[in-house]
Amino acid sequence: FIGVLSACSHAGLVDEGCHYFCSMKTDRGIMPAAKHYACMVDLFGRAGRLNEAWIFIMKMPCQPTAVVWMALLGACRSHNNVEVAQWVAEFILQLEPQNASAFVLLSN
């Protein structure tokens, strides 16, 4: 499903990506992993739907990983949302203090 979600993300097919994500659980009985959640955040982020990405993260049944937060940080950079980017960078640095990529993305 990672390939399908990634393809939807790159093609801007948000509704289709949401459908496939939901069908993982309901139709296939597959529980999404952190990579699937990161793909969904990337899907919303690439489409400029940063608020939806944030809400999606807040509703995750598990603790968001740095990879999930990095997907949102990348979207903040693409859409010039410095305020949210600063919040997201803080989360990343709490999870992985040695992760310099958060600083790099934030500085750009």
XYZ file of all heavy atoms in Angstrom:
831
model
N 0.809 -1.201 0.000
C 0.000 0.000 0.000
C 0.852 1.265 0.000
O 0.363 2.327 -0.354
C -0.969 0.008 1.181
C -2.238 -0.738 0.896
C -2.349 -2.089 1.164
C -3.336 -0.093 0.341
C -3.511 -2.785 0.902
C -4.502 -0.768 0.074
C -4.602 -2.119 0.350
N 2.099 1.163 0.402
C 2.976 2.335 0.409
C 3.101 2.894 -1.005
O 3.015 4.099 -1.211
C 4.379 1.973 0.961
C 4.269 1.451 2.373
C 5.335 3.149 0.832
C 4.570 2.365 3.483
N 3.285 2.027 -1.971
C 3.411 2.465 -3.364
C 2.156 3.156 -3.855
O 2.226 4.183 -4.538
N 1.004 2.607 -3.515
C -0.270 3.194 -3.942
C -0.469 4.558 -3.288
O -0.837 5.535 -3.951
C -1.451 2.256 -3.603
C -2.785 2.933 -3.851
C -1.355 0.966 -4.404
N -0.218 4.646 -1.987
C -0.385 5.918 -1.276
C 0.601 6.965 -1.788
O 0.243 8.138 -1.961
C -0.212 5.712 0.229
C -1.267 4.843 0.907
C -0.904 4.608 2.369
C -2.654 5.446 0.788
N 1.822 6.547 -2.053
C 2.836 7.459 -2.580
C 2.445 7.952 -3.973
O 2.593 9.138 -4.289
C 4.190 6.767 -2.620
O 5.176 7.641 -3.105
N 1.921 7.060 -4.792
C 1.481 7.453 -6.138
C 0.334 8.457 -6.062
O 0.324 9.454 -6.793
C 1.051 6.219 -6.934
N -0.605 8.215 -5.175
C -1.707 9.160 -4.987
C -1.177 10.512 -4.524
O -1.639 11.561 -4.985
C -2.721 8.615 -3.984
S -3.700 7.225 -4.580
N -0.209 10.490 -3.645
C 0.384 11.723 -3.137
C 1.026 12.526 -4.259
O 0.782 13.721 -4.402
C 1.422 11.387 -2.063
O 2.048 12.547 -1.591
N 1.823 11.878 -5.072
C 2.534 12.562 -6.155
C 1.596 13.009 -7.266
O 1.908 13.976 -7.971
C 3.645 11.665 -6.701
C 4.804 11.550 -5.770
N 5.876 12.407 -5.791
C 5.039 10.692 -4.750
C 6.730 12.078 -4.843
N 6.241 11.039 -4.197
N 0.472 12.336 -7.411
C -0.496 12.701 -8.452
C -1.553 13.688 -7.947
O -2.388 14.145 -8.727
C -1.180 11.443 -8.989
N -1.523 13.991 -6.659
C -2.508 14.917 -6.098
C -3.884 14.307 -5.912
O -4.878 15.023 -5.840
N -3.939 13.000 -5.801
C -5.213 12.284 -5.669
C -5.534 12.044 -4.190
O -5.444 10.924 -3.689
C -5.155 10.967 -6.440
C -4.831 11.088 -7.934
C -4.624 9.715 -8.557
C -5.940 11.849 -8.650
N -5.923 13.102 -3.503
C -6.140 13.032 -2.060
C -7.303 12.106 -1.709
O -7.171 11.242 -0.840
C -6.373 14.444 -1.470
C -6.685 14.366 0.014
C -5.163 15.323 -1.718
N -8.435 12.276 -2.364
C -9.601 11.438 -2.045
C -9.316 9.964 -2.286
O -9.693 9.111 -1.483
C -10.822 11.884 -2.855
C -11.312 13.260 -2.440
O -11.041 13.691 -1.303
O -11.980 13.915 -3.274
N -8.636 9.671 -3.383
C -8.305 8.283 -3.687
C -7.334 7.715 -2.650
O -7.470 6.574 -2.213
C -7.705 8.167 -5.093
C -8.699 8.397 -6.209
C -8.911 9.879 -6.531
O -8.442 10.760 -5.771
O -9.582 10.161 -7.534
N -6.345 8.516 -2.259
C -5.402 8.073 -1.241
C -6.094 7.774 0.081
O -5.797 6.772 0.729
N -7.037 8.637 0.449
C -7.805 8.410 1.685
C -8.607 7.119 1.578
O -8.689 6.346 2.537
C -8.732 9.588 1.962
S -7.865 11.085 2.450
N -9.177 6.893 0.406
C -9.951 5.660 0.191
C -9.066 4.427 0.371
O -9.442 3.480 1.072
C -10.568 5.669 -1.208
C -11.087 4.338 -1.628
N -12.281 3.823 -1.153
C -10.566 3.400 -2.446
C -12.467 2.619 -1.677
N -11.441 2.345 -2.470
N -7.890 4.441 -0.239
C -7.002 3.281 -0.135
C -6.495 3.085 1.284
O -6.377 1.947 1.752
C -5.827 3.394 -1.116
C -6.246 3.152 -2.547
C -6.144 4.156 -3.492
C -6.755 1.919 -2.941
C -6.536 3.939 -4.805
C -7.154 1.694 -4.248
C -7.038 2.710 -5.173
O -7.433 2.482 -6.468
N -6.216 4.179 1.973
C -5.760 4.078 3.358
C -6.836 3.416 4.215
O -6.542 2.506 4.992
C -5.405 5.463 3.911
C -4.907 5.434 5.320
C -3.588 5.100 5.591
C -5.740 5.733 6.379
C -3.118 5.067 6.897
C -5.284 5.703 7.693
C -3.967 5.371 7.946
N -8.066 3.866 4.065
C -9.173 3.277 4.845
C -9.419 1.825 4.457
O -9.735 0.999 5.309
C -10.446 4.099 4.661
S -10.352 5.717 5.451
N -9.263 1.521 3.175
C -9.522 0.151 2.718
C -8.466 -0.830 3.231
O -8.714 -2.030 3.283
C -9.618 0.090 1.194
O -8.355 0.180 0.589
N -7.306 -0.330 3.608
C -6.297 -1.213 4.186
C -6.882 -1.955 5.381
O -6.728 -3.168 5.503
C -5.080 -0.403 4.671
C -4.162 0.098 3.617
S -2.821 1.103 4.315
C -2.028 -0.075 5.400
N -7.544 -1.193 6.262
C -8.098 -1.778 7.490
C -9.406 -2.510 7.223
O -9.570 -3.655 7.645
C -8.326 -0.674 8.529
C -7.068 -0.004 9.017
C -7.342 1.026 10.082
C -7.809 2.308 9.427
N -7.961 3.429 10.341
N -10.313 -1.835 6.536
C -11.656 -2.393 6.386
C -11.733 -3.550 5.403
O -12.408 -4.532 5.670
C -12.653 -1.292 5.963
O -12.223 -0.703 4.725
C -12.768 -0.216 7.020
N -11.051 -3.430 4.269
C -11.156 -4.461 3.229
C -10.080 -5.534 3.315
O -10.318 -6.680 2.943
C -11.102 -3.818 1.839
C -12.244 -2.862 1.585
O -13.283 -2.958 2.277
O -12.103 -1.991 0.698
N -8.902 -5.164 3.774
C -7.773 -6.096 3.770
C -7.328 -6.535 5.161
O -6.507 -7.446 5.283
C -6.567 -5.466 3.057
C -6.865 -4.961 1.671
C -6.834 -6.077 0.668
N -6.955 -5.516 -0.668
C -7.837 -5.939 -1.549
N -8.648 -6.916 -1.254
N -7.899 -5.394 -2.743
N -7.806 -5.855 6.202
C -7.415 -6.216 7.559
C -5.971 -5.888 7.885
O -5.383 -6.479 8.785
N -5.399 -4.922 7.155
C -4.010 -4.523 7.374
C -3.993 -3.290 8.268
O -4.620 -2.283 7.958
C -3.314 -4.197 6.032
C -3.315 -5.424 5.122
C -1.899 -3.673 6.272
C -2.864 -5.125 3.705
N -3.274 -3.391 9.373
C -3.143 -2.238 10.264
C -2.027 -1.333 9.737
O -0.913 -1.806 9.503
C -2.818 -2.690 11.689
C -3.960 -3.447 12.358
S -5.545 -2.558 12.328
C -5.160 -1.133 13.301
N -2.321 -0.063 9.534
C -1.303 0.852 9.006
C -0.114 0.985 9.958
O -0.281 1.037 11.173
C -2.035 2.184 8.887
C -3.490 1.847 8.899
C -3.611 0.590 9.714
N 1.066 1.047 9.378
C 2.304 1.270 10.126
C 2.685 2.746 10.004
O 2.036 3.506 9.278
C 3.409 0.384 9.569
N 3.742 3.133 10.678
C 4.182 4.529 10.663
C 4.437 5.024 9.243
O 4.129 6.173 8.913
C 5.435 4.693 11.510
N 4.956 4.171 8.379
C 5.221 4.574 6.992
C 3.939 4.911 6.250
O 3.921 5.819 5.417
C 5.984 3.473 6.253
C 7.402 3.296 6.717
C 8.100 2.210 5.923
C 9.509 2.010 6.413
N 10.228 0.983 5.665
N 2.871 4.185 6.546
C 1.580 4.480 5.912
C 1.054 5.835 6.375
O 0.538 6.626 5.575
C 0.555 3.387 6.227
C 0.947 2.047 5.709
N 1.425 1.058 6.547
C 0.946 1.528 4.458
C 1.701 -0.015 5.827
N 1.421 0.245 4.550
N 1.191 6.093 7.674
C 0.761 7.385 8.211
C 1.593 8.520 7.610
O 1.065 9.583 7.282
C 0.832 7.388 9.740
C -0.268 6.588 10.371
C -0.045 5.316 10.869
C -1.565 7.108 10.460
C -1.066 4.567 11.439
C -2.596 6.370 11.043
C -2.338 5.106 11.523
O -3.356 4.380 12.080
N 2.891 8.297 7.457
C 3.743 9.313 6.847
C 3.326 9.587 5.410
O 3.321 10.741 4.966
C 5.206 8.882 6.910
N 2.949 8.552 4.688
C 2.461 8.734 3.312
C 1.194 9.581 3.283
O 1.022 10.431 2.402
C 2.184 7.383 2.647
S 3.651 6.510 2.092
N 0.314 9.346 4.241
C -0.927 10.132 4.290
C -0.647 11.591 4.627
O -1.249 12.499 4.044
C -1.899 9.524 5.303
C -2.499 8.214 4.863
S -3.421 8.343 3.311
C -4.764 9.423 3.801
N 0.274 11.837 5.539
C 0.643 13.213 5.871
C 1.259 13.882 4.645
O 0.952 15.034 4.327
C 1.600 13.241 7.083
C 2.169 14.636 7.298
C 0.872 12.751 8.329
N 2.099 13.149 3.923
C 2.681 13.663 2.686
C 1.587 13.954 1.654
O 1.643 14.971 0.957
C 3.692 12.658 2.128
C 4.415 13.192 0.914
O 5.105 14.226 1.035
O 4.297 12.580 -0.163
N 0.601 13.076 1.574
C -0.526 13.246 0.643
C -1.258 14.561 0.909
O -1.469 15.367 0.000
C -1.487 12.062 0.785
C -2.789 12.103 -0.001
C -2.535 11.777 -1.457
C -3.769 11.116 0.585
N -1.603 14.795 2.165
C -2.285 16.037 2.529
C -1.352 17.237 2.329
O -1.773 18.280 1.825
C -2.760 15.999 3.989
C -3.907 15.067 4.241
C -3.795 14.052 5.177
C -5.107 15.205 3.566
C -4.850 13.191 5.432
C -6.176 14.352 3.812
C -6.048 13.339 4.744
N -0.109 17.070 2.725
C 0.846 18.172 2.646
C 1.127 18.626 1.234
O 1.135 19.819 0.946
N 1.340 17.693 0.329
C 1.605 18.057 -1.068
C 0.426 18.794 -1.685
O 0.606 19.638 -2.561
C 1.922 16.819 -1.899
C 3.290 16.265 -1.680
C 3.502 15.026 -2.543
N 4.756 14.402 -2.237
C 5.897 14.642 -2.877
N 5.920 15.522 -3.860
N 7.003 14.030 -2.530
N -0.768 18.475 -1.212
C -1.974 19.124 -1.733
C -2.223 20.475 -1.052
O -3.211 21.144 -1.360
C -3.174 18.207 -1.539
N -1.336 20.846 -0.131
C -1.492 22.120 0.559
C -2.500 22.081 1.688
O -2.889 23.108 2.226
N -2.901 20.902 2.075
C -3.903 20.735 3.127
C -3.209 20.441 4.461
O -3.370 19.400 5.065
C -4.873 19.634 2.708
C -5.684 20.063 1.474
C -6.282 18.951 0.674
N -7.436 18.327 1.278
C -8.264 17.521 0.629
N -8.091 17.287 -0.665
N -9.266 16.959 1.253
N -2.432 21.436 4.903
C -1.616 21.271 6.106
C -2.464 21.090 7.354
O -2.095 20.329 8.252
C -0.677 22.459 6.270
C 0.309 22.699 5.129
C 1.171 23.914 5.406
C 1.165 21.478 4.883
N -3.593 21.761 7.406
C -4.473 21.608 8.569
C -4.993 20.181 8.666
O -5.040 19.602 9.749
C -5.629 22.608 8.490
C -6.409 22.670 9.781
O -5.831 22.738 10.859
N -7.727 22.631 9.688
N -5.370 19.613 7.535
C -5.835 18.223 7.532
C -4.713 17.267 7.925
O -4.949 16.274 8.621
C -6.404 17.851 6.164
C -7.728 18.519 5.878
C -8.244 18.182 4.503
O -8.580 17.000 4.275
O -8.301 19.091 3.662
N -3.499 17.579 7.474
C -2.351 16.742 7.848
C -2.138 16.789 9.358
O -1.914 15.760 9.991
C -1.098 17.213 7.113
N -2.236 17.983 9.926
C -2.065 18.155 11.374
C -3.134 17.370 12.130
O -2.827 16.637 13.078
C -2.130 19.640 11.722
C -1.929 19.907 13.173
C -2.892 20.001 14.120
C -0.696 20.083 13.854
N -2.337 20.236 15.356
C -0.994 20.292 15.213
C 0.637 20.088 13.431
C 0.012 20.506 16.156
C 1.623 20.306 14.381
C 1.309 20.509 15.723
N -4.385 17.512 11.714
C -5.490 16.792 12.364
C -5.293 15.287 12.240
O -5.514 14.538 13.194
C -6.848 17.239 11.779
C -7.124 18.693 12.179
C -7.975 16.323 12.228
C -8.285 19.339 11.436
N -4.852 14.839 11.075
C -4.600 13.416 10.848
C -3.554 12.904 11.847
O -3.730 11.841 12.442
C -4.127 13.204 9.403
C -3.934 11.770 9.040
C -5.003 10.981 8.649
C -2.674 11.197 9.078
C -4.822 9.647 8.316
C -2.483 9.874 8.746
C -3.561 9.094 8.366
N -2.498 13.679 12.033
C -1.452 13.280 12.980
C -2.011 13.223 14.399
O -1.732 12.286 15.153
C -0.248 14.243 12.907
C 0.468 14.079 11.567
C 0.715 14.001 14.064
C 1.530 15.128 11.295
N -2.791 14.212 14.764
C -3.346 14.263 16.127
C -4.305 13.104 16.398
O -4.472 12.694 17.547
C -4.075 15.589 16.365
C -3.178 16.805 16.383
S -1.961 16.724 17.715
C -0.443 16.597 16.800
N -4.905 12.556 15.359
C -5.855 11.449 15.519
C -5.213 10.070 15.352
O -5.902 9.054 15.457
C -7.011 11.591 14.525
C -7.919 12.760 14.835
C -9.082 12.808 13.869
C -10.051 13.905 14.237
N -11.210 13.929 13.313
N -3.915 10.041 15.122
C -3.246 8.747 14.956
C -3.407 7.920 16.224
O -3.295 8.459 17.325
C -1.754 8.950 14.658
C -1.456 9.421 13.270
S 0.314 9.751 12.987
C 1.071 8.172 13.390
N -3.648 6.617 16.087
C -3.819 5.764 17.267
C -2.502 5.455 17.986
O -2.512 4.891 19.068
C -4.435 4.492 16.695
C -3.963 4.448 15.286
C -3.870 5.887 14.844
N -1.393 5.834 17.369
C -0.087 5.608 17.977
C 0.678 6.932 17.991
O 0.271 7.897 17.364
C 0.695 4.554 17.195
S 0.863 4.943 15.447
N 1.773 6.930 18.705
C 2.611 8.126 18.787
C 3.247 8.397 17.425
O 3.852 7.498 16.836
C 3.700 7.901 19.844
C 4.499 9.111 20.183
C 3.711 10.110 21.019
O 2.649 9.809 21.531
N 4.231 11.298 21.144
N 3.126 9.612 16.886
C 3.755 9.919 15.593
C 5.278 9.795 15.683
O 5.883 10.231 16.661
C 3.357 11.363 15.317
C 2.221 11.659 16.238
C 2.368 10.740 17.408
N 5.849 9.218 14.670
C 7.308 9.077 14.612
C 7.915 10.325 13.969
O 7.210 11.163 13.402
C 7.696 7.850 13.765
O 7.247 8.066 12.423
C 7.097 6.573 14.332
N 9.226 10.418 14.029
C 9.924 11.530 13.387
C 9.674 11.539 11.884
O 9.594 12.602 11.269
C 11.416 11.461 13.692
N 9.515 10.367 11.289
C 9.256 10.284 9.845
C 7.922 10.959 9.502
O 7.815 11.680 8.508
C 9.259 8.809 9.370
C 8.827 8.690 7.926
C 10.627 8.197 9.576
N 6.917 10.746 10.335
C 5.612 11.379 10.134
C 5.752 12.898 10.238
O 5.266 13.648 9.393
C 4.579 10.844 11.146
C 3.286 11.628 11.082
C 4.316 9.362 10.899
N 6.458 13.350 11.277
C 6.650 14.791 11.455
C 7.485 15.391 10.321
O 7.242 16.521 9.889
C 7.297 15.082 12.806
C 6.387 14.872 13.971
C 6.541 13.963 14.984
C 5.170 15.576 14.271
N 5.504 14.068 15.878
C 4.649 15.051 15.463
C 4.472 16.604 13.627
C 3.473 15.512 16.042
C 3.291 17.071 14.199
C 2.809 16.529 15.385
N 8.468 14.648 9.830
C 9.291 15.147 8.720
C 8.456 15.338 7.456
O 8.701 16.272 6.689
C 10.459 14.193 8.439
C 11.560 14.234 9.478
S 12.406 15.810 9.621
C 13.267 15.854 8.067
N 7.480 14.469 7.250
C 6.596 14.637 6.091
C 5.844 15.962 6.190
O 5.712 16.694 5.205
C 5.621 13.462 5.997
N 5.379 16.286 7.386
C 4.664 17.556 7.572
C 5.634 18.735 7.470
O 5.294 19.761 6.878
C 3.940 17.576 8.915
C 3.104 18.831 9.191
C 2.072 19.086 8.098
C 2.416 18.709 10.542
N 6.829 18.592 7.987
C 7.810 19.667 7.897
C 8.154 19.972 6.442
O 8.265 21.136 6.046
C 9.067 19.313 8.689
C 10.150 20.390 8.773
C 9.600 21.663 9.407
C 11.342 19.868 9.558
N 8.296 18.929 5.637
C 8.564 19.126 4.212
C 7.428 19.871 3.524
O 7.654 20.746 2.674
N 6.200 19.559 3.910
C 5.041 20.252 3.334
C 5.003 21.711 3.773
O 4.668 22.597 2.983
C 3.754 19.541 3.737
N 5.371 21.954 5.027
C 5.420 23.342 5.521
C 6.430 24.152 4.716
O 6.178 25.304 4.370
C 5.803 23.373 6.993
S 4.513 22.790 8.101
N 7.543 23.531 4.401
C 8.571 24.209 3.602
C 8.039 24.506 2.207
O 8.190 25.607 1.694
C 9.821 23.355 3.513
C 10.922 23.997 2.707
C 12.172 23.102 2.667
N 13.196 23.715 1.894
C 13.374 23.502 0.591
N 12.582 22.682 -0.066
N 14.359 24.100 -0.049
N 7.387 23.528 1.597
C 6.857 23.710 0.241
C 5.799 24.797 0.166
O 5.679 25.482 -0.843
C 6.242 22.403 -0.269
O 7.222 21.410 -0.376
N 5.036 24.937 1.236
C 3.925 25.892 1.241
C 4.207 27.123 2.108
O 3.289 27.885 2.427
C 2.639 25.185 1.680
C 2.223 24.123 0.723
N 1.646 24.391 -0.491
C 2.352 22.772 0.775
C 1.409 23.265 -1.142
N 1.840 22.264 -0.383
N 5.482 27.314 2.457
C 5.936 28.511 3.186
C 5.160 28.783 4.475
O 4.812 29.921 4.766
C 5.883 29.743 2.279
C 6.792 29.612 1.084
O 7.931 29.192 1.219
N 6.285 29.946 -0.086
N 4.898 27.737 5.240
C 4.199 27.900 6.507
C 5.224 27.785 7.637
O 5.433 26.717 8.202
C 3.085 26.867 6.657
C 2.158 27.181 7.800
O 2.598 27.680 8.825
N 0.894 26.887 7.617
N 5.846 28.902 7.942
C 6.932 28.930 8.922
C 6.424 28.643 10.327
O 7.092 27.952 11.105
C 7.658 30.294 8.871
C 8.738 30.382 9.935
C 8.241 30.519 7.491
N 5.251 29.169 10.652
C 4.716 28.999 12.008
C 4.539 27.519 12.362
O 4.999 27.054 13.401
C 3.387 29.731 12.148
C 2.822 29.690 13.545
C 1.514 30.456 13.669
O 1.209 31.274 12.791
O 0.814 30.214 14.659
N 3.867 26.782 11.496
C 3.662 25.352 11.753
C 4.998 24.618 11.686
O 5.252 23.712 12.478
C 2.633 24.746 10.766
C 2.536 23.240 10.928
C 1.262 25.390 10.959
N 5.869 25.021 10.783
C 7.176 24.374 10.641
C 7.967 24.448 11.950
O 8.638 23.481 12.321
C 7.966 25.019 9.508
N 7.881 25.562 12.641
C 8.595 25.696 13.907
C 8.062 24.724 14.956
O 8.830 24.111 15.695
C 8.509 27.137 14.414
C 9.319 28.090 13.561
C 9.128 29.541 13.937
O 8.089 29.935 14.448
N 10.130 30.347 13.665
N 6.743 24.579 15.008
C 6.140 23.611 15.939
C 6.602 22.194 15.603
O 6.982 21.423 16.482
C 4.613 23.667 15.852
C 3.998 24.796 16.603
C 3.670 26.023 16.121
C 3.621 24.792 17.978
N 3.117 26.777 17.113
C 3.075 26.053 18.261
C 3.706 23.847 18.989
C 2.601 26.391 19.528
C 3.237 24.185 20.246
C 2.690 25.446 20.505
N 6.532 21.864 14.323
C 6.875 20.513 13.880
C 8.343 20.211 14.162
O 8.679 19.115 14.620
C 6.537 20.351 12.381
C 7.063 19.039 11.839
C 5.034 20.456 12.161
N 9.211 21.164 13.915
C 10.637 20.956 14.182
C 10.881 20.652 15.655
O 11.724 19.808 15.986
C 11.427 22.186 13.746
N 10.134 21.301 16.524
C 10.258 21.019 17.963
C 9.904 19.565 18.277
O 10.595 18.908 19.062
C 9.354 21.955 18.772
C 9.818 23.388 18.789
C 11.127 23.570 19.541
O 11.357 22.864 20.538
O 11.916 24.426 19.107
N 8.827 19.070 17.667
C 8.439 17.668 17.886
C 9.531 16.716 17.406
O 9.854 15.746 18.080
C 7.121 17.343 17.173
C 5.903 17.920 17.835
C 5.148 18.880 17.188
C 5.507 17.502 19.101
C 4.022 19.416 17.791
C 4.380 18.031 19.711
C 3.639 18.993 19.049
N 10.086 17.019 16.237
C 11.133 16.158 15.679
C 12.348 16.148 16.602
O 12.914 15.088 16.895
C 11.528 16.618 14.264
C 10.355 16.430 13.300
C 12.759 15.857 13.765
C 10.530 17.112 11.965
N 12.729 17.320 17.060
C 13.923 17.411 17.906
C 13.711 16.774 19.270
O 14.662 16.296 19.883
C 14.362 18.864 18.031
C 14.831 19.467 16.704
C 15.082 20.960 16.850
C 16.071 18.747 16.191
N 12.470 16.728 19.747
C 12.185 16.011 20.991
C 12.338 14.509 20.797
O 12.833 13.809 21.674
C 10.774 16.331 21.481
C 10.628 17.715 22.063
C 9.190 18.024 22.432
O 8.321 17.151 22.424
N 8.920 19.283 22.753
N 11.902 14.035 19.624
C 11.994 12.600 19.337
C 13.414 12.174 18.976
O 13.859 11.098 19.366
C 11.048 12.233 18.184
C 9.563 12.286 18.482
C 8.761 12.122 17.196
C 9.174 11.208 19.474
N 14.081 13.010 18.200
C 15.427 12.682 17.716
C 16.315 13.921 17.798
O 16.507 14.626 16.801
C 15.365 12.182 16.268
C 14.612 10.892 16.098
C 14.602 10.386 14.664
O 15.124 11.074 13.765
O 14.062 9.294 14.451
N 16.862 14.197 18.978
C 17.672 15.408 19.156
C 18.883 15.497 18.219
O 19.341 16.580 17.905
C 18.141 15.323 20.611
C 17.278 14.320 21.260
C 16.748 13.413 20.191
N 19.365 14.358 17.758
C 20.529 14.333 16.870
C 20.149 14.516 15.400
O 21.025 14.583 14.546
C 21.306 13.025 17.050
C 20.664 11.801 16.427
C 19.430 11.244 17.148
O 19.018 11.747 18.181
N 18.830 10.228 16.597
N 18.871 14.640 15.091
C 18.401 14.733 13.708
C 18.603 16.152 13.174
O 17.792 17.032 13.411
C 16.925 14.329 13.630
C 16.444 14.164 12.206
O 17.037 14.673 11.269
N 15.352 13.435 12.051
N 19.664 16.355 12.435
C 19.990 17.681 11.902
C 19.102 18.069 10.730
O 18.982 19.243 10.408
C 21.455 17.712 11.466
N 18.428 17.106 10.101
C 17.609 17.422 8.938
C 16.455 18.344 9.275
O 16.012 19.134 8.443
C 17.110 16.150 8.258
O 16.418 15.341 9.167
N 15.943 18.289 10.505
C 14.883 19.209 10.917
C 15.407 20.646 10.892
O 14.711 21.552 10.425
C 14.372 18.849 12.302
N 16.625 20.839 11.376
C 17.225 22.181 11.343
C 17.434 22.660 9.918
O 17.201 23.811 9.599
C 18.576 22.188 12.080
C 18.462 22.166 13.570
C 18.978 21.110 14.286
C 17.840 23.207 14.250
C 18.892 21.086 15.677
C 17.748 23.192 15.637
C 18.278 22.127 16.346
N 17.889 21.755 9.065
C 18.163 22.111 7.682
C 16.871 22.540 6.984
O 16.822 23.585 6.329
C 18.838 20.947 6.925
C 18.941 21.245 5.437
C 20.211 20.673 7.509
N 15.823 21.737 7.108
C 14.562 22.093 6.471
C 13.997 23.391 7.028
O 13.460 24.218 6.297
C 13.521 20.966 6.649
C 13.585 19.845 5.638
C 12.613 18.731 6.019
C 13.264 20.334 4.255
N 14.103 23.578 8.318
C 13.587 24.796 8.944
C 14.365 26.021 8.489
O 13.778 27.082 8.263
C 13.635 24.652 10.468
C 12.887 25.698 11.285
C 11.410 25.741 10.879
C 13.010 25.390 12.757
N 15.673 25.891 8.318
C 16.480 27.041 7.910
C 16.219 27.434 6.463
O 16.408 28.585 6.084
C 17.956 26.745 8.101
O 18.394 25.763 7.203
N 15.783 26.474 5.659
C 15.484 26.778 4.255
C 14.130 27.421 4.135
O 13.719 27.947 3.202
C 15.559 25.510 3.398
C 16.973 25.020 3.252
O 17.917 25.791 3.320
N 17.131 23.731 3.042
